Amino acid sequence: MRGRRSRTVINYDQHGNMYKTLTPHGSNRMRNGNGYQGNQQNQQNHHYQNHQNQQNHQNHAAQNNNQNSSIQETAVVEKIVSRTMLLAKGQMKRLRAVLDERVEIHGRGNFPTISTKLIDLIRCVRTHLGAAQVRARDIRLNGGAASFVASSDDFTYADLDLIFPIQIDDESDENAEKTIFESIREAVFTTIRELMPDNIGKEKFDFETLKDVYIRKMIKVASDNDVWSLFSLNNEYGRCIELKFVNKMKRQFEFSVDSFQIHLDPLLDDFEGCEQKKVTIESMYGDIHQAINHLHERLIDTVKPEEIRGGGLLKYCHLIIRGYKAAKPWNCRKLERYMCSRFFIDFPDLNSQENKLRNYLDSHFGTSFNGVTYDQWSSSGSDTESEASTSQATSSSLLVTGQAKYDFLMLLYRVIDESTVCLMAHERHMTLNMIDRVAFQLSMQCYSPPNFSSGSSTPPRTTLFYLPPDAATWIPVI
């Protein structure tokens, strides 16, 4: 009698490991009605459970990776996006040079020129504000001078902007606000009179006379989002000092490269040893590191251009002819459309457009004398390689300044022609014809300078300027 044969059965444990057992032939059928199908079903169940375990492990790993990456991204954002930073040692040296610089406020006619250090002018304004019971929260350096301090490259500037944030209670009525701004006006004119030379009997000049003689521009804005005033002190070389007294200002910059504000309070009471003090620089653009990078790389970028008065159109064209380029070339046309639209909203008629354009040319390129514009100190850095420069009333300087103005006007013509979508065709052509006419008049003035020999008009001053190696600005020699 032959013995019963055995067979090899393959099974899997709960971890999916395979093992073999010897089972008498047919025993599995007797014990499991499903026969071999039961073993196959068990095998499939084990494989499915194994797959689920692996999937769960992968999901947990992915969640951990996502959490780690999100933590890293948050850390990076917090590290990069910062509005403020402390000035470095080299920047502090530049700031000292700016504050120690002698600035000039030119009087019209036979009135004398006021010459004083910028730091003394700031202190004097602050003192008279305090005497008028107007409290300035702090004092900030803004504009081209602040960009010069922030930059590590050769960078000359044409404007000195000082911001005095003032406090006006929300509950104050219109009369209280008017009284505060009148006190500010008196403080500014008292400062001008105090800084005038002592040998001219300055006490006899009233505020209206000082306004006509030493003030280039005076503005007051009072609305829901903007409450501020501005005094632009006259300078024949285009280096006007602007004093801004701000309670509220919705938009405090045009582009990232001019968005810097330097807090000066740590230096005003003790200017000696200022390079050892901690001074904060802030970018109203939002990202101080990106704004400084734009300044070094000469890039143009902004946010919400529709909020800029005039759209920043004229400043944009000015930066382009100075060698700047768009930080986002793919967005350049969209940016130009925004700027053009806002420009024509703020200056809807042809007269206001022409007045704005001529004022910008006078303020940023030179000073007008009987309809003819003469050169000012360069704001583009093109003169920094020479040791000396004769900047007034020379044929070469007239041609250089005239060419810069002409390039500016032609670029403005192109941008308006290609990017204006808010005007009808005949309105756009009227604006383009106005720009073309101003450019033609400018070219005629450049190549036909006036004759001052008749004595009917006063020629501009001829001054030789010298630029020391480590200086921030030109120094008048004679």
Side-chain angles (χ1 to χ4, degrees):
M1 182 177 178
R2 292 190 306 176
R4 179 177 292 182
R5 291 180 299 175
S6 300
R7 61 184 180 85
T8 302
V9 178
I10 300 176
N11 294 313
Y12 295 85
D13 62 13
Q14 62 179 351
H15 301 291
N17 299 320
M18 183 180 67
Y19 64 92
K20 300 178 181 179
T21 57
L22 292 176
T23 306
H25 189 72
S27 62
N28 193 60
R29 286 191 179 95
M30 292 185 292
R31 297 176 182 176
N32 188 348
N34 294 331
Y36 290 111
Q37 294 179 358
N39 289 329
Q40 293 174 358
Q41 185 67 31
N42 291 336
Q43 181 177 349
Q44 292 175 358
N45 291 337
H46 286 303
H47 275 295
Y48 177 78
Q49 185 177 4
N50 215 16
H51 176 73
Q52 287 295 106
N53 291 336
Q54 292 177 358
Q55 188 68 28
N56 292 335
H57 285 301
Q58 292 175 358
N59 291 338
H60 286 301
Q63 290 178 359
N64 291 334
N65 290 334
N66 290 335
Q67 291 177 355
N68 293 334
S69 63
S70 63
I71 292 174
Q72 292 175 357
E73 290 175 358
T74 303
V76 169
V77 169
E78 291 178 352
K79 180 180 179 182
I80 295 177
V81 180
S82 175
R83 291 174 61 95
T84 62
M85 62 178 289
L86 294 178
L87 291 179
K89 185 176 181 180
Q91 294 169 328
M92 287 298 299
K93 290 181 64 176
R94 285 173 170 245
L95 179 59
R96 183 187 181 99
V98 169
L99 296 178
D100 220 17
E101 171 193 3
R102 295 198 73 84
V103 295
E104 291 185 345
I105 307 171
H106 296 139
R108 295 181 176 89
N110 294 325
F111 279 81
T113 295
I114 298 174
S115 178
T116 182
K117 289 185 178 181
L118 183 61
I119 183 70
D120 294 333
L121 172 64
I122 297 172
R123 287 169 172 168
C124 194
V125 173
R126 185 181 66 165
T127 299
H128 290 295
L129 284 177
Q133 303 299 318
V134 177
R135 184 172 63 89
R137 295 193 300 269
D138 55 1
I139 301 175
R140 306 179 185 185
L141 181 67
N142 184 230
S147 299
F148 164 77
V149 173
S151 175
S152 60
D153 303 325
D154 290 334
F155 184 93
T156 57
Y157 58 93
D159 54 330
L160 281 165
D161 296 349
L162 297 168
I163 299 178
F164 297 79
I166 59 173
Q167 185 67 41
I168 300 178
D169 295 334
D170 295 335
E171 294 79 11
S172 300
D173 57 10
E174 185 176 350
N175 292 331
E177 180 180 301
K178 183 178 180 181
T179 301
I180 291 175
F181 280 108
E182 185 64 28
S183 300
I184 292 173
R185 179 176 178 272
E186 293 180 0
V188 171
F189 290 137
T190 304
T191 298
I192 293 175
R193 186 162 59 189
E194 181 176 324
L195 296 176
M196 292 176 68
D198 295 328
N199 56 353
I200 61 169
K202 55 188 178 182
E203 292 79 9
K204 62 184 179 182
F205 298 120
D206 58 17
F207 291 164
E208 288 299 318
T209 302
L210 296 177
K211 182 188 74 171
D212 295 337
V213 172
Y214 290 106
I215 300 297
R216 185 186 186 97
K217 180 171 59 177
M218 196 164 64
I219 298 174
K220 177 185 174 183
V221 178
S223 63
D224 293 337
N225 297 320
D226 293 280
V227 179
W228 54 274
S229 65
L230 177 144
F231 298 82
S232 179
L233 308 183
N234 185 52
N235 184 284
E236 294 177 359
Y237 309 134
R239 295 179 60 81
C240 299
I241 303 170
E242 291 192 349
L243 308 177
K244 296 180 182 179
F245 301 89
V246 180
N247 175 243
K248 292 186 294 184
M249 183 178 286
K250 183 177 180 180
R251 182 76 179 209
Q252 300 190 37
F253 73 101
E254 291 182 296
F255 299 96
S256 60
V257 294
D258 64 3
S259 66
F260 302 104
Q261 294 185 7
I262 300 175
H263 298 252
L264 300 178
D265 289 78
L267 309 178
L268 297 181
D269 295 326
D270 184 15
F271 190 60
E272 297 301 326
C274 68
E275 297 177 9
Q276 309 300 325
K277 297 183 178 180
K278 295 182 179 180
V279 177
T280 301
I281 181 172
E282 180 178 1
S283 173
M284 310 311 293
Y285 171 74
D287 188 341
I288 182 69
H289 301 285
Q290 189 175 24
I292 290 179
N293 180 67
H294 288 168
L295 186 65
H296 293 161
E297 300 295 331
R298 303 178 78 84
L299 299 176
I300 302 173
D301 195 16
T302 189
V303 293
K304 298 181 179 179
E306 66 276 7
E307 293 183 355
I308 307 173
R309 176 167 172 79
L313 178 62
L314 303 183
K315 181 66 175 287
Y316 170 80
C317 294
H318 195 186
L319 290 174
I320 291 291
I321 68 167
R322 290 170 54 189
Y324 287 75
K325 57 186 179 181
K328 302 172 183 176
W330 61 88
N331 198 40
C332 187
R333 183 55 57 88
K334 182 180 178 181
L335 176 64
E336 290 178 356
R337 288 174 180 171
Y338 271 122
M339 292 188 295
C340 289
S341 297
R342 181 59 196 260
F343 179 81
F344 290 112
I345 290 173
D346 292 333
F347 308 102
D349 60 277
L350 202 61
N351 289 333
S352 62
Q353 295 166 16
E354 183 171 353
N355 289 335
K356 176 63 177 178
L357 179 57
R358 290 185 180 275
N359 289 335
Y360 189 90
L361 291 172
D362 288 344
S363 299
H364 294 81
F365 290 90
T367 304
S368 293
F369 293 90
N370 297 325
V372 180
T373 305
Y374 291 85
D375 189 25
Q376 68 170 15
W377 293 2
S378 171
S379 62
S380 62
S382 58
D383 298 334
T384 55
E385 296 179 358
S386 60
E387 287 288 324
S389 173
T390 303
S391 68
Q392 297 290 321
T394 64
S395 298
S396 59
S397 64
L398 281 173
L399 292 175
V400 169
T401 305
Q403 185 62 49
K405 286 186 176 183
Y406 188 83
D407 293 342
F408 167 80
L409 291 171
M410 290 299 98
L411 179 61
L412 178 64
Y413 185 102
R414 179 193 66 78
V415 172
I416 291 178
D417 187 32
E418 296 178 356
S419 301
T420 300
V421 295
C422 62
L423 297 181
M424 299 180 67
H426 73 278
E427 293 175 324
R428 185 173 72 253
H429 290 156
M430 290 173 62
T431 300
L432 295 176
N433 289 337
M434 179 270 293
I435 297 174
D436 195 43
R437 172 169 51 83
V438 173
F440 175 75
Q441 293 174 354
L442 174 66
S443 63
M444 294 299 294
Q445 292 169 357
C446 289
Y447 292 99
S448 301
N451 183 10
F452 293 103
S453 59
S454 61
S456 59
S457 56
T458 303
R461 306 175 188 178
T462 301
T463 307
L464 181 69
F465 293 97
Y466 169 69
L467 182 67
D470 296 328
T473 58
W474 297 93
I475 297 175
V477 180
I478 58 172

